[in-house]
Amino acid sequence: MKSGSNRTFARLVLAGALLISIVACDKSSPLPNASKDANATAKNSPIAEDSLRLSVLREAALKYGLVRPREMEVTGVPTQQEAGGLLFASPLLSFNGAISCQDCHLDQFGSGDGLPNAIGVGGVGHGLARMHSGGRILPRNVRPLWGVGGKGFNSFFSDGRVELIDGKVISQFGDKVPSNDPMVVAVHLPPAEIREMIIDTPDLRDEMAKEDVGIADGIYAEIAKRARSDPKLGGALAKAYGKPTEAISFDDISDALAQFIRHKFRVRPTRFHKFVFDGGSLTQSELNGGIIFYGRGRCVACHNGAYFSDFRYHAIAFPQAGFGKNGFGIDEGHYNVTLDPKDRFLFRTSPLFNLSETAPYSHSGSVMTIEQAIVAHFDPLRLADPAKMSIRARADLFQRFGVAAQETLPSALNDEDVSDLKAFLAALEF
Amino acid sequence: MFSRLLLNSCFSHGLVLAVGVALGWLALPLWRGLVMNWNQRAYGQLVEQCDGAMRDHYQAKMRAAEAPSQEAGLEVYSGEIGLIVCQDYDLYQKRLMQWGLSENELAQMRLKAIEARAGDLDEVVATHEIRF
């Protein structure tokens, strides 16, 4: 009798064990043994194999204008690029200070400076040391230079103060534009910008702060004179442009600088380029992020084309760091260029290359992580603490929300979606 | 007598079957409850995402119909890519059905997801209703 009961019990145990083992072995099962959420299982596999999503992502990338990096490149003259490199590192471009382009566009920060607001003339050192060095604060974040001046890259600076529209360069030079190449025009601006490369003194303010192209020409003439007098710079420029040193002008200097920036910071093939054009692989998380980027995240509505930027102007209700271009913690963005009220709080869509190196993000560098930057696009309230803000700051934020809410907004993405998007953006690095 | 019956293999097999059926009968609602509970979060999330994607797609199509342009066309295309999440939703739902959930139970889970904020409303009503 005892052995019979045991056998019955054993059969029941066996049936239970069988059921448990079926549940445990079925990895596609939505039971807790398999995964806590819908995508976790797929994510454990490093290489994506979902053929539908892979082909959709490739097709979407091409449809939205992705091209091979070599098609974006503007070819230059190596000797002129080399001369531009010397100028990029030279403090002689600073009218009355000692700052070079390279002081704010550093390799270790992905061609930015790693700070929220830029520190202009008077700043010493890099990173936090520079921030505390007493240099003049510029109320905007240093824009990374990746892709700048390549083919189709026609809007410069985060407010678009130099732009190519219908083949015509629009800039603060008005009809006295120094070049038909917007990149060359763009490199004219920092050396003539007070606080950026020029120390702001009362005398200088009286004499030079007049928005006068003639005064800017005087600054360029002085810089050209210094370059001619510098044996290294003068020699390199004379050799590169095939003219005597005394004939070197600021036109040559700006051209050399533009060529150097175009060449050094040109876009190289990323893993995403290799995936789209050469059959390379992506991880499951990168693939998920890509599908969100081109699909319900609607990121591609603005981050499209070869540079992942439409080079148009949009509002994102980022928090504002620092005193802002318009003071009192306000930065009205593209409005400062056009004075059209419709352009208030709009900024140029940022290209998306090498993002992990170029923190912090936004026009004022107010968010430190890529996740926060993504969240600011669809859930900006998460980044704000209205109770701690002044009435003015809160009212300004409210105005920015109003404009930003008119943009093509993504669906409400969850943290996992944001993490996938971050993984996808990492595939845009080189 | 009972012990002798247990030694009879026909009886013991029959007993195991009967106990199994009884257990299965009793355990089925419990099993379904557990499957629903374990999967509510993930399934509810897919319900929400697919609903959002369908709405985005529909609105993009309406915009494109009102003002056709290349941009509007691309927005519809993005909407179509967004609908991929609905395939995830479908597959997940079919797996839940494989695990024994009926359409009624799935509907209950969808309702729970749609009414995820119903609790907030209860609180609002409880706080603000006029009590006579």
Side-chain angles (χ1 to χ4, degrees):
Chain A
M1 178 183 121
K2 207 173 178 185
S3 71
S5 314
N6 283 347
R7 240 189 318 178
T8 307
F9 180 69
R11 280 174 191 155
L12 282 172
V13 169
L14 198 64
L18 189 65
L19 179 65
I20 289 167
S21 63
I22 290 169
V23 171
C25 291
D26 184 357
K27 291 213 169 131
S28 66
S29 153
L31 290 169
N33 283 352
S35 65
K36 271 195 163 179
D37 58 58
N39 298 319
T41 307
K43 281 192 179 159
N44 292 334
S45 113
I47 302 299
E49 287 167 359
D50 180 336
S51 56
L52 169 70
R53 281 174 166 78
L54 289 169
S55 66
V56 165
L57 185 55
R58 283 195 176 100
E59 191 188 311
L62 294 172
K63 212 162 185 165
Y64 275 104
L66 190 76
V67 298
R68 284 185 186 274
R70 65 170 176 263
E71 292 174 40
M72 300 150 76
E73 206 174 320
V74 176
T75 47
V77 179
T79 51
Q80 293 172 354
Q81 289 162 350
E82 278 167 35
L86 297 175
L87 288 160
F88 193 78
S90 172
L92 291 181
L93 264 65
S94 173
F95 181 69
N96 61 353
I99 185 172
S100 72
C101 311
Q102 194 171 264
D103 284 322
C104 292
H105 293 287
L106 297 153
D107 289 342
Q108 63 263 45
F109 296 111
S111 76
D113 66 353
L115 299 173
N117 283 192
I119 302 295
V121 69
V124 179
H126 303 142
L128 278 178
R130 184 172 186 82
M131 195 162 84
H132 297 300
S133 66
R136 303 298 188 280
I137 298 171
L138 304 169
R140 293 250 173 92
N141 181 249
V142 172
R143 298 284 79 195
L145 295 174
W146 300 113
V148 167
K151 284 180 190 162
F153 196 116
N154 290 331
S155 170
F156 297 80
F157 306 100
S158 47
D159 57 9
R161 73 187 85 147
V162 176
E163 208 177 356
L164 187 71
I165 300 174
D166 298 330
K168 197 175 167 195
V169 177
I170 308 296
S171 75
Q172 60 210 70
F173 289 98
D175 56 2
K176 293 176 182 163
V177 66
S179 168
N180 291 326
D181 180 346
M183 176 69 195
V184 171
V185 177
V187 300
H188 275 71
L189 298 193
E193 190 83 31
I194 290 175
R195 298 173 78 92
E196 188 163 347
M197 295 186 84
I198 298 177
I199 298 173
D200 185 7
T201 63
D203 291 347
L204 187 127
R205 185 155 279 275
D206 290 343
E207 287 171 28
M208 303 185 89
K210 288 178 181 156
E211 301 275 331
D212 184 328
V213 174
I215 289 173
D217 283 341
I219 294 168
Y220 301 141
E222 170 61 24
I223 292 170
K225 191 173 127 194
R226 289 180 196 172
R228 287 193 295 269
S229 314
D230 185 86
K232 203 171 165 190
L233 278 180
L237 284 162
K239 186 180 153 206
Y241 285 88
K243 52 171 88 166
T245 309
E246 57 274 16
I248 294 296
S249 68
F250 194 78
D251 287 347
D252 304 315
I253 290 171
S254 57
D255 182 73
L257 267 172
Q259 286 209 40
F260 169 74
I261 293 169
R262 274 185 166 132
H263 179 67
K264 175 165 181 184
F265 300 102
R266 69 192 183 281
V267 175
R268 276 82 154 178
T270 65
R271 286 200 307 108
F272 190 58
H273 286 107
K274 288 170 193 160
F275 164 75
V276 173
F277 296 110
D278 304 319
S281 61
L282 290 180
T283 67
Q284 189 62 48
S285 186
E286 288 165 346
L287 175 62
N288 291 346
I291 291 292
I292 294 169
F293 185 91
Y294 285 97
R296 65 194 167 85
R298 302 164 93 176
C299 317
V300 77
C302 307
H303 292 285
N304 54 42
Y307 299 89
F308 294 91
S309 168
D310 59 1
F311 294 113
R312 282 152 78 174
Y313 303 90
H314 299 278
I316 307 293
F318 281 112
Q320 173 69 38
F323 54 83
K325 191 83 174 170
N326 298 90
F328 304 100
I330 298 170
D331 192 332
E332 294 184 313
H334 194 47
Y335 170 77
N336 291 318
V337 175
T338 64
L339 299 181
D340 181 342
K342 287 200 298 288
D343 291 332
R344 287 183 75 212
F345 307 117
L346 306 189
F347 291 89
R348 187 198 66 188
T349 306
S350 294
L352 296 177
F353 296 109
N354 294 337
L355 281 187
S356 71
E357 297 174 350
T358 59
Y361 309 98
S362 89
H363 64 271
S364 66
S366 56
V367 294
M368 299 308 292
T369 66
I370 293 173
E371 287 93 335
Q372 286 175 326
I374 296 169
V375 164
H377 288 65
F378 65 93
D379 185 14
L381 278 168
R382 209 192 304 181
L383 307 176
D385 187 354
K388 288 186 181 164
M389 294 165 84
S390 68
I391 293 172
R392 175 73 190 257
R394 213 163 31 234
D396 291 334
L397 183 65
F398 182 56
Q399 288 198 19
R400 292 208 297 281
F401 281 167
V403 188
Q406 302 304 312
E407 296 287 347
T408 306
L409 296 173
S411 296
L413 304 176
N414 61 33
D415 289 349
E416 193 186 353
D417 295 332
V418 171
S419 158
D420 286 338
L421 272 176
K422 186 186 172 189
F424 172 70
L425 294 172
L428 306 183
E429 302 198 345
F430 50 84
Chain B
M1 160 112 180
F2 184 68
S3 59
R4 219 179 300 148
L5 272 175
L6 277 178
L7 287 174
N8 180 316
S9 69
C10 284
F11 178 78
S12 63
H13 279 79
L15 182 66
V16 167
L17 184 68
V19 170
V21 168
L23 271 177
W25 183 262
L26 290 172
L28 205 57
L30 184 68
W31 166 256
R32 285 175 171 169
L34 285 173
V35 173
M36 285 168 76
N37 203 33
W38 280 329
N39 292 284
Q40 181 63 49
R41 194 187 72 85
Y43 182 64
Q45 193 169 291
L46 287 170
V47 170
E48 187 189 335
Q49 287 176 344
C50 178
D51 178 68
M54 286 171 70
R55 202 148 14 103
D56 287 349
H57 180 235
Y58 175 76
Q59 288 170 2
K61 275 175 80 172
M62 289 296 104
R63 274 194 292 274
E66 265 179 36
S69 66
Q70 193 195 0
E71 206 170 282
L74 283 171
E75 212 180 305
V76 174
Y77 178 59
S78 273
E80 288 166 0
I81 296 174
L83 287 175
I84 285 182
V85 78
C86 294
Q87 195 201 25
D88 295 343
Y89 157 79
D90 262 355
L91 287 171
Y92 200 84
Q93 181 164 277
K94 284 184 171 64
R95 287 207 293 271
L96 288 174
M97 289 171 101
Q98 275 179 341
W99 281 102
L101 296 194
S102 66
E103 183 49 48
N104 272 346
E105 283 140 353
L106 292 170
Q108 190 183 332
M109 289 174 80
R110 285 195 293 271
L111 209 58
K112 259 192 182 173
I114 292 164
E115 293 174 353
R117 291 188 222 174
D120 303 353
L121 186 63
D122 288 346
E123 281 171 29
V124 172
V125 173
T127 311
H128 297 288
E129 72 173 333
I130 296 168
R131 293 184 180 85
F132 297 99

